Amino acid sequence: MSEKNREGKRNARDKMREARAAEEAKARRTRKLVVGGVVVAVIAAAVVVGVVVQNQRSKPETPTAAPAGTTGDKNLVIPVGSADAPSTLTVYEDPRCPACGSFERSFSPTIDQLEDAGKIVVNYHIVSFIDRSLGGNGSRYGANALGCAQDAGHFRDYHDVMYRNQPEETEDSFGDKQTLIDLGKQVPGLDTPEFRACVNDNEFAGWVSAVQQDFDKSSFKSTPTVLLNGEAVYPKKGDEQISPENLVKWVDAANQGKQLGTPGSNGQSPAPTSTAGESNNPPSP
């Protein structure tokens, strides 16, 4: 074979090897692009899922149902007293909070009188965080029952009965819905099929959760938190210790020269005219 023919065959083989190498390199690049695209797609999907999950976690819950007569943003506040009263008492309470129970047993008669005189409207925020630290359902079920009483127009009387019969903080008695229903029997007109169903079905659970989320976002970290026209008055107002007498004095000073409100607004029952409701045994100290 001539040298020229041998050289031509070598060139042809070299070209074939180069062509195969080029095809293999192209195939490798294609595989990398496909794999890389899949990875990017997976990462993108994960990011989207993560954003959705995070949004679900951080999105405040909007209650699907709120008790009748509630006010404020998302209807989270239960108002009691004259809507046009010149002063506002703001109270944050948990049904299982022992300090709240002590406050209510000492101050509820005075607060009821101030409401009935048209001197104050009380805005209640019923929170439920003690369940998270101690376990159980008493805070949440108790808050729901208070919402049920509000829906029926008997919040104030049921609220007062509940705190007079409050168990020890570590006893989750309010986690028993029948206990909450039985307390309703002490409030004239409240023990109805509607109230019992509302308690048993935990009808305002979403509202209870939303009230607690609102409290979590606030600057307040304990209960009871009590404010008179936005100023903290529990356990002190300035250098003065809170007492029923001082609360009346502070309210009268704040209302000086102002027209009093119309008593009996917001559909709440009036203060008891007798002490019949006080015969319940209070919890042991």
Side-chain angles (χ1 to χ4, degrees):
M1 184 181 295
S2 66
E3 186 65 28
K4 183 176 181 180
N5 287 340
R6 284 195 294 270
E7 183 64 27
K9 289 180 178 180
R10 279 197 300 270
N11 289 339
R13 286 195 296 271
D14 291 342
K15 289 179 180 180
M16 289 175 64
R17 282 195 296 269
E18 290 172 358
R20 282 197 300 270
E23 287 295 328
E24 291 173 357
K26 181 179 179 180
R28 285 194 297 271
R29 288 195 299 272
T30 300
R31 284 196 298 272
K32 289 180 179 179
L33 288 173
V34 171
V35 172
V38 171
V39 171
V40 170
V42 170
I43 292 174
V47 169
V48 170
V49 171
V51 169
V52 171
V53 170
Q54 184 60 33
N55 285 343
Q56 289 174 342
R57 288 174 178 169
S58 60
K59 184 179 180 181
E61 181 174 349
T62 300
T64 55
T70 49
T71 61
D73 184 34
K74 300 178 185 176
N75 294 322
L76 303 182
V77 178
I78 294 179
V80 184
S82 307
D84 55 350
S87 286
T88 300
L89 194 70
T90 302
V91 180
Y92 290 82
E93 293 179 326
D94 186 310
R96 290 180 71 178
C97 162
C100 299
S102 177
F103 170 78
E104 287 297 341
R105 288 188 292 275
S106 297
F107 286 87
S108 63
T110 301
I111 291 173
D112 289 350
Q113 290 167 11
L114 290 169
E115 290 167 353
D116 290 345
K119 293 183 177 182
I120 60 171
V121 58
V122 183
N123 287 335
Y124 286 96
H125 300 251
I126 309 300
V127 300
S128 51
F129 65 89
I130 291 179
D131 287 350
R132 296 190 305 209
S133 57
L134 295 182
N137 297 298
S139 293
R140 286 169 293 176
Y141 288 177
N144 176 73
L146 285 165
C148 295
Q150 165 66 20
D151 201 59
H154 293 284
F155 170 83
R156 188 172 84 174
D157 287 346
Y158 184 74
H159 166 271
D160 291 353
V161 166
M162 173 180 280
Y163 278 108
R164 286 199 300 268
N165 291 272
Q166 186 189 52
E168 294 293 330
E169 183 182 24
T170 53
E171 295 177 12
D172 193 31
S173 300
F174 289 168
D176 178 4
K177 294 175 182 178
Q178 188 58 50
T179 296
L180 298 168
I181 290 172
D182 289 342
L183 288 177
K185 296 176 182 178
Q186 301 181 30
V187 178
L190 182 58
D191 183 27
T192 63
E194 292 78 14
F195 174 75
R196 293 192 293 269
C198 182
V199 174
N200 279 322
D201 296 342
N202 206 23
E203 182 174 335
F204 296 117
W207 175 80
V208 169
S209 178
V211 175
Q212 179 56 46
Q213 288 174 354
D214 184 67
F215 181 71
D216 288 339
K217 293 185 294 183
S218 75
S219 60
F220 308 124
K221 303 303 177 187
S222 63
T223 54
T225 289
V226 184
L227 313 171
L228 176 60
N229 297 326
E231 181 184 359
V233 294
Y234 180 89
K236 290 182 177 182
K237 179 180 182 291
D239 295 329
E240 289 186 283
Q241 190 79 26
I242 192 171
S243 67
E245 295 75 19
N246 278 343
L247 180 59
V248 171
K249 182 183 72 172
W250 298 337
V251 169
D252 286 343
N255 292 348
Q256 188 71 35
K258 299 178 183 178
Q259 182 176 348
L260 300 184
T262 305
S265 61
N266 294 315
Q268 298 296 337
S269 54
T273 56
S274 71
T275 58
E278 300 288 346
S279 61
N280 309 302
N281 294 324
S284 302

